[in-house]
Amino acid sequence: MTENFEEKTLSRETIFSGKIIDVAVDKVRLPDGSVGQRELVFHNGGVGIIAITSDNRILLVKQYRKPLERTILEIPAGKLDREGEEPILTAHRELEEEVGYRCEKMEPYMTFSLSPGFANEMMHLFIAKGLYQVPDPLPRDDDEWLSIHQLTLDEAKQAIATGEICDSKTIIAIMQWEIESMGGSMNGE
């Protein structure tokens, strides 16, 4: 038996076009022939970087997140907002801008959807290997206010438990770090 859950778009109305997202309402034909409505958010996607230092600490940034109305810890990350820039180049740039590090090798780890129920945003997660600090790093974005933190694996897991780390990309990064720590080093040394 073949399952067909596809929803055919009958019409689309863009209700907002912004700098970061576009929002649309689609009228769709459902698999049973009835008509439904979907509210959709379109976003170019982003990158996140798993960066473990030579002394086995993860590099994180603390910043205020307006949608959550609070400050959280996250891995270095950024939007794919430069036309034609490959995600791996964005990852290199964001690592330097946000935490002042470069790496010898940036390896793709996984790409995943953040909220497939209403948004098309994809997160490209990378592992930075062979980290080294940059004396004069690229400047941060003008509207970016953050502090840099280095946590051990146990400290990072505790921050997840307390909710200080609550975003999916950072939780995935820490879970991967824990898996890798059982069988080898992620920092390439």
mmCIF file of all heavy atoms in Angstrom, residues 9-16 22-28 36-42 118:
data_model
loop_
_atom_site.group_PDB
_atom_site.id
_atom_site.type_symbol
_atom_site.label_atom_id
_atom_site.label_comp_id
_atom_site.label_asym_id
_atom_site.label_seq_id
_atom_site.Cartn_x
_atom_site.Cartn_y
_atom_site.Cartn_z
ATOM 1 N N THR A 9 -0.195 22.739 -3.251
ATOM 2 C CA THR A 9 -0.427 24.171 -3.055
ATOM 3 C C THR A 9 -1.396 24.676 -4.108
ATOM 4 O O THR A 9 -1.168 24.522 -5.311
ATOM 5 C CB THR A 9 0.898 24.956 -3.143
ATOM 6 O OG1 THR A 9 1.801 24.434 -2.171
ATOM 7 C CG2 THR A 9 0.683 26.438 -2.898
ATOM 8 N N LEU A 10 -2.492 25.276 -3.647
ATOM 9 C CA LEU A 10 -3.486 25.868 -4.543
ATOM 10 C C LEU A 10 -3.222 27.354 -4.736
ATOM 11 O O LEU A 10 -3.425 27.895 -5.827
ATOM 12 C CB LEU A 10 -4.896 25.643 -3.989
ATOM 13 C CG LEU A 10 -5.292 24.178 -3.763
ATOM 14 C CD1 LEU A 10 -6.639 24.098 -3.061
ATOM 15 C CD2 LEU A 10 -5.314 23.425 -5.079
ATOM 16 N N SER A 11 -2.785 28.023 -3.674
ATOM 17 C CA SER A 11 -2.443 29.445 -3.760
ATOM 18 C C SER A 11 -1.529 29.806 -2.601
ATOM 19 O O SER A 11 -1.481 29.111 -1.590
ATOM 20 C CB SER A 11 -3.711 30.315 -3.717
ATOM 21 O OG SER A 11 -4.350 30.200 -2.462
ATOM 22 N N ARG A 12 -0.802 30.905 -2.795
ATOM 23 C CA ARG A 12 0.087 31.407 -1.742
ATOM 24 C C ARG A 12 -0.065 32.922 -1.655
ATOM 25 O O ARG A 12 0.003 33.618 -2.659
ATOM 26 C CB ARG A 12 1.538 31.049 -2.040
ATOM 27 C CG ARG A 12 2.522 31.719 -1.060
ATOM 28 C CD ARG A 12 3.921 31.170 -1.167
ATOM 29 N NE ARG A 12 3.899 29.802 -0.667
ATOM 30 C CZ ARG A 12 4.847 28.897 -0.927
ATOM 31 N NH1 ARG A 12 5.872 29.214 -1.680
ATOM 32 N NH2 ARG A 12 4.758 27.685 -0.445
ATOM 33 N N GLU A 13 -0.211 33.396 -0.414
ATOM 34 C CA GLU A 13 -0.249 34.827 -0.162
ATOM 35 C C GLU A 13 0.902 35.161 0.781
ATOM 36 O O GLU A 13 0.953 34.675 1.912
ATOM 37 C CB GLU A 13 -1.581 35.234 0.484
ATOM 38 C CG GLU A 13 -1.652 36.703 0.822
ATOM 39 C CD GLU A 13 -2.873 37.083 1.641
ATOM 40 O OE1 GLU A 13 -3.688 36.215 1.983
ATOM 41 O OE2 GLU A 13 -2.971 38.282 1.978
ATOM 42 N N THR A 14 1.839 35.979 0.295
ATOM 43 C CA THR A 14 2.929 36.437 1.153
ATOM 44 C C THR A 14 2.383 37.567 2.010
ATOM 45 O O THR A 14 1.901 38.569 1.480
ATOM 46 C CB THR A 14 4.135 36.901 0.317
ATOM 47 O OG1 THR A 14 4.595 35.810 -0.469
ATOM 48 C CG2 THR A 14 5.264 37.394 1.216
ATOM 49 N N ILE A 15 2.452 37.384 3.327
ATOM 50 C CA ILE A 15 1.886 38.402 4.221
ATOM 51 C C ILE A 15 2.959 39.251 4.899
ATOM 52 O O ILE A 15 2.645 40.268 5.492
ATOM 53 C CB ILE A 15 0.939 37.765 5.265
ATOM 54 C CG1 ILE A 15 1.659 36.729 6.122
ATOM 55 C CG2 ILE A 15 -0.275 37.152 4.584
ATOM 56 C CD1 ILE A 15 0.828 36.182 7.266
ATOM 57 N N PHE A 16 4.228 38.827 4.796
ATOM 58 C CA PHE A 16 5.326 39.599 5.364
ATOM 59 C C PHE A 16 6.618 39.226 4.666
ATOM 60 O O PHE A 16 6.901 38.041 4.465
ATOM 61 C CB PHE A 16 5.463 39.322 6.868
ATOM 62 C CG PHE A 16 6.647 40.010 7.505
ATOM 63 C CD1 PHE A 16 6.596 41.363 7.830
ATOM 64 C CD2 PHE A 16 7.818 39.315 7.760
ATOM 65 C CE1 PHE A 16 7.693 41.997 8.409
ATOM 66 C CE2 PHE A 16 8.917 39.939 8.337
ATOM 67 C CZ PHE A 16 8.849 41.291 8.658
ATOM 68 N N ASP A 22 10.467 35.484 5.579
ATOM 69 C CA ASP A 22 9.248 35.804 4.851
ATOM 70 C C ASP A 22 8.165 34.904 5.417
ATOM 71 O O ASP A 22 8.436 33.754 5.800
ATOM 72 C CB ASP A 22 9.400 35.543 3.347
ATOM 73 C CG ASP A 22 10.414 36.474 2.694
ATOM 74 O OD1 ASP A 22 10.587 37.614 3.174
ATOM 75 O OD2 ASP A 22 11.031 36.054 1.697
ATOM 76 N N VAL A 23 6.947 35.406 5.467
ATOM 77 C CA VAL A 23 5.820 34.636 5.995
ATOM 78 C C VAL A 23 4.736 34.591 4.926
ATOM 79 O O VAL A 23 4.411 35.620 4.316
ATOM 80 C CB VAL A 23 5.263 35.262 7.294
ATOM 81 C CG1 VAL A 23 4.099 34.437 7.834
ATOM 82 C CG2 VAL A 23 6.359 35.383 8.350
ATOM 83 N N ALA A 24 4.194 33.396 4.710
ATOM 84 C CA ALA A 24 3.141 33.209 3.707
ATOM 85 C C ALA A 24 2.040 32.337 4.276
ATOM 86 O O ALA A 24 2.247 31.591 5.237
ATOM 87 C CB ALA A 24 3.719 32.572 2.452
ATOM 88 N N VAL A 25 0.876 32.446 3.659
ATOM 89 C CA VAL A 25 -0.240 31.563 3.969
ATOM 90 C C VAL A 25 -0.578 30.830 2.677
ATOM 91 O O VAL A 25 -0.847 31.456 1.645
ATOM 92 C CB VAL A 25 -1.461 32.342 4.497
ATOM 93 C CG1 VAL A 25 -2.628 31.393 4.727
ATOM 94 C CG2 VAL A 25 -1.115 33.083 5.779
ATOM 95 N N ASP A 26 -0.496 29.511 2.734
ATOM 96 C CA ASP A 26 -0.839 28.677 1.580
ATOM 97 C C ASP A 26 -2.207 28.050 1.759
ATOM 98 O O ASP A 26 -2.554 27.600 2.857
ATOM 99 C CB ASP A 26 0.176 27.531 1.414
ATOM 100 C CG ASP A 26 1.452 27.947 0.721
ATOM 101 O OD1 ASP A 26 1.659 29.165 0.521
ATOM 102 O OD2 ASP A 26 2.240 27.048 0.386
ATOM 103 N N LYS A 27 -2.962 28.022 0.681
ATOM 104 C CA LYS A 27 -4.181 27.224 0.627
ATOM 105 C C LYS A 27 -3.755 25.918 -0.040
ATOM 106 O O LYS A 27 -3.111 25.949 -1.103
ATOM 107 C CB LYS A 27 -5.264 27.939 -0.177
ATOM 108 C CG LYS A 27 -6.589 27.209 -0.160
ATOM 109 C CD LYS A 27 -7.774 28.107 -0.485
ATOM 110 C CE LYS A 27 -8.090 28.284 -1.897
ATOM 111 N NZ LYS A 27 -9.323 28.932 -2.253
ATOM 112 N N VAL A 28 -4.051 24.787 0.602
ATOM 113 C CA VAL A 28 -3.564 23.493 0.106
ATOM 114 C C VAL A 28 -4.697 22.483 -0.058
ATOM 115 O O VAL A 28 -5.700 22.534 0.660
ATOM 116 C CB VAL A 28 -2.485 22.903 1.059
ATOM 117 C CG1 VAL A 28 -1.266 23.814 1.141
ATOM 118 C CG2 VAL A 28 -3.041 22.639 2.445
ATOM 119 N N GLY A 36 -7.149 22.917 3.023
ATOM 120 C CA GLY A 36 -6.642 23.389 4.307
ATOM 121 C C GLY A 36 -5.807 24.639 4.128
ATOM 122 O O GLY A 36 -5.578 25.096 3.007
ATOM 123 N N GLN A 37 -5.335 25.176 5.230
ATOM 124 C CA GLN A 37 -4.510 26.379 5.219
ATOM 125 C C GLN A 37 -3.239 26.112 6.013
ATOM 126 O O GLN A 37 -3.286 25.491 7.073
ATOM 127 C CB GLN A 37 -5.293 27.534 5.840
ATOM 128 C CG GLN A 37 -4.544 28.838 5.855
ATOM 129 C CD GLN A 37 -5.418 29.982 6.342
ATOM 130 O OE1 GLN A 37 -6.377 30.355 5.689
ATOM 131 N NE2 GLN A 37 -5.070 30.523 7.502
ATOM 132 N N ARG A 38 -2.105 26.596 5.517
ATOM 133 C CA ARG A 38 -0.825 26.442 6.198
ATOM 134 C C ARG A 38 -0.144 27.798 6.312
ATOM 135 O O ARG A 38 -0.024 28.526 5.324
ATOM 136 C CB ARG A 38 0.099 25.479 5.430
ATOM 137 C CG ARG A 38 -0.449 24.073 5.262
ATOM 138 C CD ARG A 38 -0.483 23.349 6.588
ATOM 139 N NE ARG A 38 -0.959 21.996 6.449
ATOM 140 C CZ ARG A 38 -2.133 21.559 6.894
ATOM 141 N NH1 ARG A 38 -2.954 22.386 7.520
ATOM 142 N NH2 ARG A 38 -2.492 20.301 6.727
ATOM 143 N N GLU A 39 0.297 28.138 7.521
ATOM 144 C CA GLU A 39 1.090 29.348 7.746
ATOM 145 C C GLU A 39 2.554 28.937 7.701
ATOM 146 O O GLU A 39 2.973 28.049 8.449
ATOM 147 C CB GLU A 39 0.726 29.963 9.098
ATOM 148 C CG GLU A 39 -0.712 30.420 9.168
ATOM 149 C CD GLU A 39 -1.137 30.868 10.557
ATOM 150 O OE1 GLU A 39 -0.337 30.753 11.512
ATOM 151 O OE2 GLU A 39 -2.286 31.319 10.674
ATOM 152 N N LEU A 40 3.328 29.566 6.825
ATOM 153 C CA LEU A 40 4.699 29.140 6.549
ATOM 154 C C LEU A 40 5.702 30.265 6.779
ATOM 155 O O LEU A 40 5.428 31.420 6.455
ATOM 156 C CB LEU A 40 4.819 28.663 5.098
ATOM 157 C CG LEU A 40 3.808 27.608 4.649
ATOM 158 C CD1 LEU A 40 3.912 27.393 3.157
ATOM 159 C CD2 LEU A 40 4.019 26.326 5.414
ATOM 160 N N VAL A 41 6.855 29.899 7.316
ATOM 161 C CA VAL A 41 7.962 30.831 7.496
ATOM 162 C C VAL A 41 9.114 30.350 6.615
ATOM 163 O O VAL A 41 9.503 29.179 6.681
ATOM 164 C CB VAL A 41 8.408 30.890 8.973
ATOM 165 C CG1 VAL A 41 9.645 31.765 9.127
ATOM 166 C CG2 VAL A 41 7.271 31.395 9.857
ATOM 167 N N PHE A 42 9.642 31.259 5.803
ATOM 168 C CA PHE A 42 10.769 30.937 4.927
ATOM 169 C C PHE A 42 12.020 31.667 5.425
ATOM 170 O O PHE A 42 11.980 32.872 5.688
ATOM 171 C CB PHE A 42 10.445 31.332 3.476
ATOM 172 C CG PHE A 42 9.282 30.583 2.920
ATOM 173 C CD1 PHE A 42 8.028 31.172 2.857
ATOM 174 C CD2 PHE A 42 9.417 29.272 2.490
ATOM 175 C CE1 PHE A 42 6.936 30.488 2.361
ATOM 176 C CE2 PHE A 42 8.329 28.573 2.002
ATOM 177 C CZ PHE A 42 7.082 29.179 1.938
ATOM 178 N N PHE A 118 6.240 24.428 10.439
ATOM 179 C CA PHE A 118 5.858 25.727 9.884
ATOM 180 C C PHE A 118 6.999 26.472 9.195
ATOM 181 O O PHE A 118 6.764 27.488 8.548
ATOM 182 C CB PHE A 118 5.246 26.635 10.969
ATOM 183 C CG PHE A 118 6.219 27.050 12.033
ATOM 184 C CD1 PHE A 118 6.973 28.199 11.894
ATOM 185 C CD2 PHE A 118 6.379 26.285 13.170
ATOM 186 C CE1 PHE A 118 7.873 28.584 12.874
ATOM 187 C CE2 PHE A 118 7.276 26.665 14.166
ATOM 188 C CZ PHE A 118 8.016 27.820 14.013
#
